[in-house]
Amino acid sequence: MFVFDAELWIWDARRTDTWTFVTLPEDVSDQIRDIATPGAGFGAVKVRVGVGMSNWSTSVFPDKQSGCYVLPIKAAVRKKNDVEPGDVVEVTVELV
């Protein structure tokens, strides 16, 4: 399991949809890349995630620009935990 702090940001290509993500740290991304077997589609890796009072299953996706994985943060999670883009959150990620 990986635990880290990350800032919420909005994906520029879909600004009007407010797709919100966090970028996994480089060292965490490297470790995931070393041990995970990416699934079909975009090199996604299935994970179990925790942010604040929320836990859910999703995938992390490789980001060519940063060279790290990115994690989508659903609107329901942001609302439940009263966070928005620009806020820093503690994230737990576990490979499944």
Side-chain angles (χ1 to χ4, degrees):
M1 181 179 306
F2 305 97
V3 180
F4 55 90
D5 291 337
E7 182 178 338
L8 290 155
W9 54 270
I10 296 176
W11 184 26
D12 284 336
R14 299 290 295 265
R15 267 198 182 284
T16 58
D17 294 338
T18 63
W19 285 62
T20 306
F21 293 83
V22 297
T23 301
L24 280 63
E26 187 174 342
D27 63 324
V28 172
S29 294
D30 289 344
Q31 290 178 61
I32 290 173
R33 201 172 288 109
D34 288 344
I35 59 177
T37 304
F42 309 109
V45 175
K46 292 185 180 202
V47 294
R48 181 94 180 129
V49 178
V51 171
M53 299 178 293
S54 303
N55 295 290
W56 72 100
S57 295
T58 188
S59 296
V60 293
F61 304 88
D63 175 44
K64 289 181 183 180
Q65 184 176 5
S66 69
C68 295
Y69 284 97
V70 296
L71 167 70
I73 306 293
K74 303 185 287 189
V77 171
R78 296 191 314 269
K79 184 176 181 178
K80 182 176 182 178
N81 293 282
D82 193 28
V83 295
E84 58 188 44
D87 290 344
V88 174
V89 295
E90 182 178 85
V91 181
T92 60
V93 174
E94 182 177 4
L95 300 180
V96 293

